[in-house]
Amino acid sequence: MSVFPFESGRGRGGLADDVCRRIADEIVLGNFAPGSRLDEVSLAARFNVSRTPVREALKQLAIMGLVDTRPNRGSVVAELSVDQLDQMFEAIGELEAACARHAALRMTEADRARMLELHAEGRAAMQAGDIDRYDAANLELHATIIRGCYNPVLIEMATSLRHRVSPFRRTQFRNLERMGESFEEHSVIVEAILAHDVITTYREMRSHLLSARSATNRVAPAWGIPSNSQQKLKGESA
């Protein structure tokens, strides 16, 4: 039997992913301040796991840009500014909107069926108030639409940046009201894709990502300080 109960019955990769999500949430919520050291021993004790999944999680977080690895200091929380976060959301909004526009014309019938299945799963999760279930359905719905553009370059770019902003997108669902808003926004996007309406699809997907950025402010105020880029985005979407 493992001396770390949380590790019992869990695959090594899956456990590292869990720890990665938990540390990312702490960073986004401001519980781990920018520049603070992330000690492997302390984190292992905090999450009741061994140091191995913590070490692997920190590597994932470094790739996502949430953690910096510095000589003689180990891992520290990255100094990410509000403007940088705004710019990442602006970029992913444009990329996902472009993917969705192409997907409205290129998705196969199997792709569309999968999209509807995931949208239904999102509805069930929202009605149950299940944040983790809704987040999982949300991630796969967006991934399905991205893949549906059938442009490998766009898919690679969108997926890479999407990975970096995923902790901020996930945290928004701690506000249960946001789940309902997100689901309604998905409904408009799904209907537009099914109707092959490229203009509405592009506009609504971009708006959906800007809404996700704004929703982050409700649960993570430290990332909601008004900035020049955020004000510009609001003006453009008005």
Side-chain angles (χ1 to χ4, degrees):
M1 180 177 178
S2 171
V3 295
F4 300 101
F6 188 62
E7 298 190 27
S8 299
R10 300 300 301 275
R12 178 176 172 180
L15 181 58
D17 290 342
D18 284 337
V19 174
C20 178
R21 282 191 293 270
R22 295 169 76 181
I23 296 175
D25 286 345
E26 297 279 13
I27 292 173
V28 172
L29 293 172
N31 296 328
F32 293 154
S36 61
R37 185 169 180 270
L38 295 171
D39 178 68
E40 290 181 9
V41 175
S42 299
L43 289 171
R46 183 187 185 102
F47 299 121
N48 197 25
V49 298
S50 66
R51 292 178 63 180
T52 298
V54 170
R55 189 175 301 115
E56 294 176 355
L58 291 175
K59 291 178 182 177
Q60 292 182 40
L61 291 164
I63 294 172
M64 296 165 68
L66 287 178
V67 166
D68 288 332
T69 301
R70 300 177 181 176
N72 303 319
R73 287 196 62 189
S75 298
V76 298
V77 179
E79 301 276 356
L80 180 65
S81 72
V82 175
D83 277 334
Q84 287 174 312
L85 184 59
D86 287 343
Q87 289 158 9
M88 284 195 293
F89 266 93
E90 179 180 19
I92 192 60
E94 296 293 343
L95 285 170
E96 285 207 39
C99 288
R101 179 180 59 198
H102 290 303
L105 298 177
R106 299 174 181 174
M107 285 181 104
T108 65
E109 288 305 314
D111 293 333
R112 293 169 186 272
R114 178 60 175 160
M115 178 177 68
L116 288 172
E117 178 185 340
L118 290 165
H119 189 45
E121 170 66 9
R123 178 190 291 109
M126 174 196 65
Q127 292 173 340
D130 190 329
I131 296 173
D132 290 336
R133 185 180 173 189
Y134 187 85
D135 178 52
N138 174 65
L139 285 172
E140 188 54 34
L141 176 66
H142 278 269
T144 298
I145 293 173
I146 289 172
R147 290 192 298 266
C149 78
Y150 287 94
N151 181 316
V153 177
L154 271 177
I155 293 170
E156 181 183 4
M157 293 173 64
T159 301
S160 176
L161 186 53
R162 180 171 170 263
H163 188 56
R164 292 188 64 187
V165 300
S166 62
F168 297 93
R169 292 172 70 167
R170 180 176 64 254
T171 305
Q172 66 181 305
F173 301 130
R174 287 175 178 266
N175 182 316
L176 295 181
E177 181 182 347
R178 175 57 193 159
M179 273 201 291
E181 295 171 351
S182 173
F183 177 79
E184 292 304 320
E185 291 163 10
H186 284 171
S187 296
V188 176
I189 294 167
V190 168
E191 289 177 8
I193 290 175
L194 293 176
H196 307 285
D197 184 345
V198 295
I199 295 176
T200 300
T201 297
Y202 181 91
R203 183 184 68 237
E204 295 302 322
M205 180 61 85
R206 183 178 183 276
S207 177
H208 176 56
L209 269 295
L210 293 180
S211 294
R213 170 67 184 103
S214 297
T216 301
N217 303 350
R218 304 182 197 175
V219 292
W223 302 101
I225 302 171
S227 63
N228 293 333
S229 58
Q230 194 171 7
Q231 293 301 322
K232 182 180 179 182
L233 287 178
K234 288 180 179 179
E236 290 176 354
S237 61

